[in-house]
Amino acid sequence: MNRFEDIDYLKGGTASQQEVYDLLCQGRYLEQLQHYSVRLTGSFPIAVNIPGSDVDLVCSFSDGAGYVRHLEQSFGQMPEFRMRCTDKFGSEAWIASFKDGNLLLEIFGQALPVGRQLSYRHLLIEDRVLRKYGNEFRAAVISLKRRGASTEEAFCKLLGLPGNPYIALLSLENNAALPPWLPSDTGDRPVHGK
């Protein structure tokens, strides 16, 4: 079991992590989505969020129509509720988004186990990188995100990984050796393929 399978770690985290913990508990989001193996992913679990970052939840479904119905019935009354379908992630994905207080939630679901979905795989890789390179690397990621980069783009830029960042990051999966990074490297060098 890895630490991201339960959100209790958020209770002792940053102020924004504690805010997300309270939001998820008060809104009973994980309870309402437990049938779909829900997990929190994105920037909040690894504390690289910036103002405007959304709270990302990933789910796995076997019945897409039933999943969509469940989301519409459970959250359709929430402010700015929106549901859309995409296939840019390799298979059909349904994404619901809505506001709860000051935070935007995005619930992403695919007919794929959560552990095989890109967002969850990226989270595990990014956590490993942050554990190795520490708070200076985290600060460099946040700096790049404030300039418009996605989390994946920031990690790849800092590590010099070429190509599509959502795919390139996967090259670090399964205990692959991490590329070197120097604290003075702010990611200003060009990235091949970008």
Side-chain angles (χ1 to χ4, degrees), residues 153 156-157 160-168 189-194:
E153 288 168 339
C156 287
K157 187 164 189 162
L161 298 176
N164 178 331
Y166 299 90
I167 304 303
R189 68 178 180 273
V191 176
H192 306 292
K194 288 285 293 175

Side-chain angles (χ1 to χ4, degrees), residues 20-31:
V20 168
Y21 178 83
D22 291 341
L23 173 92
L24 293 175
C25 291
Q26 290 167 10
R28 297 178 35 249
Y29 293 112
L30 302 183
E31 183 181 326

Side-chain angles (χ1 to χ4, degrees), residues 6-153:
D6 186 304
I7 64 166
D8 282 350
Y9 67 91
L10 296 172
K11 289 191 283 190
T14 66
S16 58
Q17 286 178 319
Q18 291 173 34
E19 180 184 9
V20 168
Y21 178 83
D22 291 341
L23 173 92
L24 293 175
C25 291
Q26 290 167 10
R28 297 178 35 249
Y29 293 112
L30 302 183
E31 183 181 326
Q32 293 181 72
L33 295 167
Q34 66 185 350
H35 178 70
Y36 301 104
S37 304
V38 63
R39 295 285 183 273
L40 174 67
T41 64
S43 56
F44 284 100
I46 54 174
V48 296
N49 53 289
I50 60 172
S53 290
D54 52 1
V55 177
D56 295 306
L57 298 173
V58 294
C59 296
S60 174
F61 59 76
S62 56
D63 170 17
Y67 172 75
V68 169
R69 265 193 316 277
H70 179 80
L71 292 181
E72 288 172 339
Q73 290 168 358
S74 300
F75 312 117
Q77 77 289 353
M78 298 298 289
E80 300 179 35
F81 179 84
R82 196 172 134 224
M83 178 73 77
R84 62 190 166 92
C85 182
T86 180
D87 63 1
K88 75 175 188 176
F89 299 98
S91 67
E92 179 182 85
W94 284 95
I95 305 164
S97 59
F98 54 89
K99 296 273 300 237
D100 186 339
N102 296 325
L103 292 170
L104 178 69
L105 280 88
E106 187 170 272
I107 304 172
F108 180 97
Q110 280 182 299
L112 191 65
V114 166
R116 290 182 41 213
Q117 293 187 33
L118 287 181
S119 178
Y120 194 72
R121 293 164 68 191
H122 289 165
L123 173 67
L124 299 180
I125 294 164
E126 292 159 358
D127 178 59
R128 188 170 141 239
V129 172
L130 288 169
R131 282 188 283 116
K132 176 165 181 160
Y133 293 125
N135 285 330
E136 287 183 81
F137 190 94
R138 184 184 320 277
V141 168
I142 291 170
S143 175
L144 286 171
K145 289 184 66 173
R146 286 188 172 135
R147 292 186 296 194
S150 71
T151 302
E152 290 80 5
E153 288 168 339

